[in-house]
């Protein structure tokens, strides 16, 4: 940009402007098209921003074309490189009404990048060339493979111009000139801007057309109940663009006057329908562009691009909030799937932390009941080596401290039993209409102590440390959370030794690191939270031969209070305090089978549970840091109906060594799932035993279990590797015995 241009820009933004130009978007840079020698008629990008497409105007050639550029940095026009003349799409249909230079206005792609639509306006008086053309590609977003398919009839006709909400055309020569187009995502709507510049005054109209066959331009008809008069906002438009959801549109005023060079923003009550609308406002860009032509946005709406047919450049602007240039009109975050996914992930982590803390305590109670005939119910001598370095170090501290405590209390409190449990959880919630895919990975270590109050009632305390990671979308957005929970648990008989009431009360803390990546820009934040939760469970035990059937009912309640936070970075939001509620009703049927023999006590068990999540909503209140009021989105996570399946086994060896393993699948109906693996090792007085657990990731669910035992200075190592999701497809085992002779 020249020195004079920079001075004009600074002077402009220093003026008091009612539409708050400086607050809602800012000029960043432009890119020069002098080498290609054409003015810009319109602009488009492929979804990931690595390709830019420009519709040519004012080119020395006698035809119009679509030029293709590669961007080494997505949506950064300064990194463009021209692919060459051989990669252009030359816009010709082989007839006498080809698109001529200076007549092509409006460019649009289908979402899959396989179809192109181009508008053509009359070049001189008396011409009937106001049409829209369709070209198909053989390779997505490779315009060099374009070929003509069909076109509309002449749009400058009474049947396709009059009797709509946009009023009728003027009865003069060169009545209409097509100046911009957009096609709806489903291909059933076509929108066209016309300029009648010989009318008095100039008349500008946006007409809405119906395509009875999607994307087939030959099936066009005018929608009489729609359309917008634009002459109050745009005297000479050259550009039309809709937001991806079809709820907003923008037009560009090309008029080379003191009142021109504007962008108009209009909100629609119904997506891709101009029957009912509100004009949000008009913003000038005259400080940077003498004759704007064409407009586009980045995929996430935080960058805006405006072309120039006179300046031969593309300008890049950064927006305060997505798909908005008018103060006070920022859209909700639910219009961005990654943003919504980040907000929902925070709610899901809060709920999942309560569920896991509760389930761990209940697992302990179930293990005790299945093994109540044991004299020593301590379950502690274990080293869980998690892949996560933070958890790995914490487990070592916990193991060492607990061992010291056990030695100290060995003779004083024989009725106090110590235990530990490690768990890994993986899950996935697929892409939805408002949220990107979320991939879940959780590691957790729990230590506890309990004692019998009498022969049947038991009380205990457990402390859990966990690490949750949720990856949102595919651009790097994620939430990392450290969780800390203290849980009191108890079980008591109701009448006899078969009917019991289990009670859980817990508190906790959540420390979250939040990273949101939008259009390559990183927005970071930290959030803290506090939790309180409780559970009551009633169950019965029905014995038959070697089987025990356990029907149960359960009610969970929890409250998580998340602190406010502010994102660091341009386009960030300020989030208010948030209340996340947990309310679950459960009904389950479990089964335990005793398959013990003379040497080993073996019990295998399973469970099927129905869970009704009766409080799935939480209000997410926020505002954009620059220029917006408070917005509230009520987010719904999870599903009302959930089914949980569980399989597990207990093994007790003659030397009082024991292990239990539980695999659990929690399936939310029409929402997503979580897989949980719980492992606990029993007490072995005089031998050292180590268990290593490694989980390799959400997509590669390979798990490695390493068992190491010292037997009279001989080391017995056992390693088992398999895929949790496909246990029969990947499997490896090895046994090694080493020692000194």
């Amino acid at each position: 940009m020249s020195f004079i241009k920079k001075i004009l820009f600074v002077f402009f933004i220093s003026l008091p402007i009612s539409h708050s130009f400086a607050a809602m978007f800012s000029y960043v840079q432009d890119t020069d098209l002098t080498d290609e020698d054409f003015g810009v008629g319109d602009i488009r990008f492929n979804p990931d921003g690595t390709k830019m497409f420009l519709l040519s105007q004012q080119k020395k050639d006698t035809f119009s074309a679509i030029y293709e550029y590669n961007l080494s940095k997505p949506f950064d026009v300064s990194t463009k490189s021209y692919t060459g003349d051989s990669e252009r799409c030359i816009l010709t249909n082989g007839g006498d009404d080809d698109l001529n230079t200076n007549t092509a206005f409006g460019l649009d792609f289908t979402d899959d990048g396989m179809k192109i639509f181009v508008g053509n306006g009359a070049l001189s008086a008396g011409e009937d060339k106001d049409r829209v053309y369709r070209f198909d590609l053989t390779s997505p977003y490779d315009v060099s493979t374009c070929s003509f398919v069909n076109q509309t009839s002449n749009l400058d006709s009474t049947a396709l111009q009059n009797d709509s909400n946009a009023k009728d055309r003027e009865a003069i020569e060169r009545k209409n000139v097509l100046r911009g187009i957009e096609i709806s995502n489903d291909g059933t709507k076509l929108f066209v801007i016309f300029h009648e510049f010989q009318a008095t005054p100039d008349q500008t109209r946006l007409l809405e057309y119906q395509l009875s066959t999607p994307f087939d331009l030959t099936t066009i008809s005018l929608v009489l109940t729609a359309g917008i008069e634009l002459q109050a906002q745009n005297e000479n438009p050259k550009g039309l663009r809709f937001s991806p959801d079809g709820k907003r549109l923008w037009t560009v005023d090309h008029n080379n006057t003191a009142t021109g060079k504007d962008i108009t923003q209009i909100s629609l009550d119904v997506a891709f329908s101009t029957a009912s609308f509100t004009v949000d406002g008009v913003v000038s860009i005259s400080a940077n562009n003498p004759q704007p032509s064409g407009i586009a946005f980045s995929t996430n709406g935080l960058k805006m691009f405006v072309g120039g047919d006179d300046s031969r450049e593309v300008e890049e602007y950064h927006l305060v909030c997505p798909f908005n240039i008018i103060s006070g009109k920022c859209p909700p975050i639910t219009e961005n799937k990654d943003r919504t996914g980040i907000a929902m992930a925070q709610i899901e982590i809060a709920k999942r932390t309560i569920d896991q803390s509760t389930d761990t305590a209940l697992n302990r109670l179930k293990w005790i009941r299945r093994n109540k005939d044991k004299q020593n119910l301590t379950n502690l001598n274990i080293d869980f080596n998690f892949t996560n370095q933070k958890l790995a170090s914490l487990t070592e501290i916990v193991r060492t401290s607990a061992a010291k405590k056990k030695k100290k209390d060995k003779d004083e409190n024989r009725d106090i039993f110590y235990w530990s449990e490690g768990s890994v959880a993986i899950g996935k919630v697929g892409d939805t209409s408002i949220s990107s895919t979320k991939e879940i990975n959780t590691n957790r270590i729990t230590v506890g102590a309990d004692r019998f109050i009498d022969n049947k009632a038991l009380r205990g305390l457990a402390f859990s440390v966990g690490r949750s990671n949720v990856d949102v979308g595919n651009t790097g957005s994620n939430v990392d959370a450290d969780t800390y929970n203290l849980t009191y648990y108890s079980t008591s008989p109701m009448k006899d030794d078969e009917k019991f009431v289990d009670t859980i009360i817990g508190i906790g803390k959540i420390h979250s690191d939040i990273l949101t990546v939008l259009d390559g820009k990183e927005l970071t934040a930290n959030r803290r939270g506090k939790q309180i939760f409780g559970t009551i469970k009633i169950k019965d035990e029905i014995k038959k031969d070697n089987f025990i059937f356990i029907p149960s009912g359960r009610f969970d309640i929890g409250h998580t209070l998340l602190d406010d936070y502010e994102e660091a970075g341009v386009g960030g939001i300020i989030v208010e305090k948030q209340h996340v509620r947990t309310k679950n009703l459960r009904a389950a049927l479990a089964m335990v089978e005793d398959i013990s023999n003379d040497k080993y006590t073996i019990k295998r068990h399973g469970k099927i549970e129905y869970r009704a999540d009766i409080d799935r909503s939480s209000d997410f209140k926020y505002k954009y840091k620059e220029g917006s009021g408070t917005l509230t989105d009520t987010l719904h996570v999870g599903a009302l109906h959930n089914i949980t399946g569980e399989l597990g086994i207990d093994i007790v060896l003659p030397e009082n060594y024991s292990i239990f393993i539980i695999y659990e699948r929690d399936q939310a109906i029409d929402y997503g799932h979580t897989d949980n693996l719980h492992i606990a090792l029993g007490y072995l007085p005089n031998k050292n035993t180590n268990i290593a657990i490694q989980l390799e990731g959400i997509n590669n669910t390979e798990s490695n279990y390493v068992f190491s035992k010292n037997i009279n200075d001989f080391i017995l190592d056992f390693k088992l590797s398999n895929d949790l999701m496909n246990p029969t497809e990947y499997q490896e085992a090895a046994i090694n015995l080493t020692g000194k002779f």
Side-chain angles (χ1 to χ4, degrees):
M1 190 167 57
S2 68
F3 177 75
I4 294 177
K5 196 172 182 180
K6 290 181 180 178
I7 293 295
L8 290 173
F9 174 66
V10 172
F11 174 74
F12 175 77
I13 64 173
S14 66
L15 296 176
I17 309 171
S18 60
H19 45 250
S20 303
F21 164 84
M24 301 313 297
F25 68 90
S26 58
Y27 171 84
V28 177
Q29 60 186 352
D30 58 48
T31 182
D32 195 336
L33 302 173
T34 303
D35 292 342
E36 290 79 63
D37 191 29
F38 69 86
V40 179
D42 210 347
I43 314 164
R44 274 297 200 185
F45 296 85
N46 68 337
D48 65 7
T50 58
K51 287 188 176 184
M52 177 175 67
F53 306 93
L54 302 180
L55 182 65
S56 66
Q57 286 195 309
Q58 299 182 358
K59 185 77 173 66
K60 59 186 177 181
D61 296 325
T62 59
F63 53 81
S64 291
I66 301 172
Y67 288 70
E68 181 178 323
Y69 297 82
N70 292 325
L71 303 182
S72 60
K73 187 176 181 180
F75 296 110
D76 185 343
V77 297
S78 68
T79 66
K80 70 174 179 67
S81 60
Y82 180 45
T83 58
D85 287 354
S86 63
E87 298 299 313
R88 296 179 298 179
C89 172
I90 298 176
L91 300 172
T92 176
N93 67 354
D96 59 0
D97 57 350
D98 288 345
L99 285 79
N100 299 315
T101 182
N102 278 341
T103 67
F105 299 101
L107 170 66
D108 200 12
F109 285 77
T110 54
D111 291 344
D112 62 1
M114 297 296 290
K115 300 179 181 65
I116 299 175
F117 296 86
V118 181
N120 187 52
L123 183 62
S124 58
E127 287 189 330
D128 291 325
K129 288 192 174 183
D130 294 302
R131 290 177 171 85
V132 180
Y133 297 75
R134 170 181 160 182
F135 297 81
D136 283 4
L137 311 180
T138 59
S139 180
Y141 295 101
D142 183 358
V143 297
S144 67
T145 66
C146 70
S147 61
F148 172 78
V149 176
N150 58 33
Q151 64 189 48
T152 65
S153 58
N154 178 30
L155 297 177
D156 193 13
S157 67
T158 301
L160 296 175
Q161 287 287 327
N162 292 351
D163 300 322
S164 76
N165 291 346
K167 295 187 176 180
D168 298 345
R169 64 177 182 175
E170 295 287 335
I172 59 175
E173 272 192 17
R174 204 179 174 189
K175 298 171 281 295
N176 288 269
V177 180
L178 187 153
R179 283 292 190 258
I181 68 165
E182 177 100 1
I183 195 162
S184 63
N185 299 334
D186 63 1
T188 62
K189 294 285 188 69
L190 177 68
F191 302 87
V192 182
I193 286 182
F194 290 95
H195 176 216
E196 299 182 6
F197 57 87
Q198 291 187 2
T200 306
D202 288 359
Q203 186 177 11
T204 302
R205 300 179 301 140
L206 192 159
L207 297 183
E208 180 179 323
Y209 296 92
Q210 183 77 34
L211 301 179
S212 58
T213 300
F215 305 110
D216 186 348
L217 298 176
T218 65
T219 64
I220 191 171
S221 62
L222 181 64
V223 180
L224 302 180
T225 56
I228 303 175
E229 290 187 89
L230 290 172
Q231 60 263 34
Q233 292 79 36
N234 294 147
E235 295 184 19
N236 183 14
K238 276 191 179 181
L240 170 66
R241 193 63 67 231
F242 278 68
S243 61
D245 64 357
K247 297 297 292 290
R248 281 186 174 171
L249 66 86
W250 297 265
T251 62
V252 178
D253 192 351
H254 176 75
N255 200 39
N256 191 19
T257 67
T259 59
K261 314 175 192 64
D262 295 332
I263 300 176
T264 299
Q265 177 174 298
I266 298 174
S267 292
L268 307 179
D269 292 343
V270 178
F272 293 107
S273 172
T274 57
S276 181
F277 62 90
T278 301
V279 178
D280 296 332
V282 181
V283 178
S284 175
I285 57 170
S286 60
N288 300 293
N289 198 322
Q291 288 188 303
S293 178
I295 184 172
F297 293 84
S298 61
T299 301
N300 285 313
L302 288 172
K303 289 185 178 182
M304 180 177 69
F305 305 87
V306 181
D309 64 358
D310 182 62
S311 58
R312 287 172 165 79
E313 66 183 21
V314 176
E315 296 162 356
E316 178 182 324
Y317 298 83
H318 285 186
L319 277 61
V320 170
C321 57
F323 298 107
N324 176 65
I325 62 173
I326 305 299
S327 179
K329 299 293 183 178
C330 284
I333 62 166
T334 50
E335 293 188 8
N336 183 286
K337 298 176 71 172
D338 280 5
R339 271 213 175 278
T340 307
I342 287 292
M344 295 176 70
Q346 298 175 59
I347 301 172
E348 292 165 345
I349 287 174
K351 288 176 169 286
R352 190 180 307 112
T353 299
I354 291 176
D355 288 343
Q356 290 177 334
S357 296
T358 301
D359 288 344
T360 297
L362 291 175
N363 284 342
R364 169 63 176 175
L365 294 176
K366 289 187 290 184
W367 184 85
I368 288 177
R369 192 157 292 118
R370 291 193 300 265
N371 300 278
K372 58 188 177 182
D373 55 330
K374 292 181 62 178
Q375 293 183 350
N376 192 336
L377 293 174
T378 290
N379 187 0
L380 187 62
N381 193 20
I382 181 173
D383 183 10
F384 290 99
N385 296 318
F386 289 101
T387 306
N388 181 276
Q389 293 298 315
K390 186 171 184 177
L391 274 184
S393 62
L394 286 170
T395 55
E396 177 62 24
I397 294 172
V398 169
R399 186 183 65 84
T400 303
S401 301
K404 293 179 178 178
K405 175 68 174 176
K406 180 175 73 71
K407 183 177 180 181
K408 178 181 179 181
D409 296 341
K410 182 176 180 181
D411 298 321
E412 299 176 6
N413 298 288
R414 294 183 181 273
D415 58 344
I416 296 179
F417 308 110
Y418 303 95
W419 60 277
S420 60
E421 180 181 307
S423 64
V424 293
I426 59 174
K428 185 172 184 177
V429 179
D431 188 83
T432 69
S433 60
I434 64 169
S435 174
S436 300
T437 297
K438 297 188 290 294
E439 296 181 343
I440 305 154
N441 191 339
T442 300
N443 296 323
R444 194 173 186 86
I445 181 72
T446 303
V447 295
D450 44 47
R451 64 180 297 178
F452 281 99
I453 304 303
D454 51 41
N455 291 332
K456 298 175 182 179
L458 180 138
R459 307 286 187 269
L461 285 173
F463 178 71
S464 299
V465 180
R467 178 77 172 179
S468 291
N469 175 266
V470 181
D471 292 326
V472 178
N474 56 12
T475 61
S477 299
N478 65 78
V479 181
D480 286 328
D482 293 317
T483 61
Y484 310 88
N485 293 91
L486 180 65
T487 305
Y488 166 82
Y489 57 93
S490 69
T491 185
S492 302
M494 295 177 62
K495 292 183 179 180
D496 47 41
D497 197 24
E498 297 178 350
K499 297 180 176 63
F500 288 84
V501 177
D502 296 340
T503 305
I504 308 288
I505 300 174
I507 58 175
K509 286 188 173 183
I510 301 176
H511 296 173
S512 299
D513 295 322
I514 304 168
L515 172 64
T516 305
V517 182
L518 301 176
D519 286 338
K521 297 185 296 184
E522 293 187 351
L523 304 174
T524 59
N526 303 110
R527 196 176 204 185
R528 303 291 185 262
K530 301 179 180 66
Q531 295 185 307
I532 184 170
F533 53 91
T535 289
I536 184 168
K537 181 178 181 180
I538 300 174
K539 57 188 176 182
D540 192 5
E541 294 184 356
I542 304 171
K543 299 178 181 179
K544 186 174 182 179
D545 299 328
N546 293 332
F547 293 90
I548 301 176
F549 298 93
I550 309 171
S552 64
R554 174 178 160 186
F555 176 66
D556 308 316
I557 188 169
H559 297 273
T560 302
L561 299 178
L562 298 174
D563 293 343
D564 56 350
Y565 70 92
E566 179 177 339
E567 291 180 335
V570 178
I573 59 176
I574 301 172
V575 180
E576 297 183 5
K577 293 181 179 181
Q578 185 178 4
H579 183 196
V580 178
R581 296 171 296 274
T582 297
K583 291 181 183 178
N584 296 314
L585 287 173
R586 305 173 190 248
L589 177 64
M591 183 193 71
V592 179
E593 182 186 12
D594 191 343
I595 55 174
S596 304
N597 53 41
D598 294 338
K599 293 185 64 177
Y600 306 101
T601 300
I602 303 174
K603 296 179 182 179
R604 55 189 181 188
H605 41 89
K607 182 184 73 173
I608 185 74
E609 180 182 77
Y610 168 77
R611 175 171 61 91
D613 189 346
I614 58 178
D615 198 340
R616 296 174 292 120
S617 64
S618 179
D619 289 339
F620 191 80
K621 298 181 179 181
Y622 60 96
K623 62 180 180 181
Y624 291 90
K625 292 196 296 183
E626 302 154 11
S628 79
T630 300
L631 301 171
T632 301
D633 291 327
T634 301
L635 302 177
H636 303 273
V637 300
L640 173 61
H641 305 292
N642 304 266
I643 301 295
T644 299
E646 178 185 297
L647 294 173
I649 189 169
D650 297 353
I651 303 175
V652 182
L653 300 178
E655 299 175 327
N656 288 328
Y657 167 72
S658 66
I659 181 174
F660 83 79
I661 301 174
I662 296 175
Y663 168 74
E664 182 182 72
R665 163 62 71 96
D666 188 3
Q667 182 68 59
I669 306 303
D670 298 326
Y671 189 77
H673 70 270
T674 303
D675 297 290
N676 299 280
L677 181 66
H678 304 269
I679 299 178
L681 269 292
Y683 175 68
L684 189 63
N686 299 313
K687 307 289 190 298
N688 294 320
T689 303
N690 295 300
I691 295 286
I693 302 173
Q694 296 177 325
L695 187 67
E696 302 298 334
I698 186 67
N699 293 319
N700 176 17
T701 54
E702 177 186 339
S703 298
N704 298 312
Y705 310 99
V706 181
F707 169 77
S708 178
K709 188 172 184 179
N710 186 325
I711 307 175
N712 297 327
D713 294 328
F714 287 89
I715 306 299
L716 178 66
D717 293 316
F718 172 75
K719 178 181 179 181
L720 175 66
S721 300
N722 70 345
D723 190 328
L724 290 176
M725 301 296 98
N726 302 286
T728 60
E729 296 183 9
Y730 177 86
Q731 190 165 330
E732 179 183 353
I735 299 176
N736 295 300
L737 181 64
T738 60
K740 296 180 179 179
F741 295 91

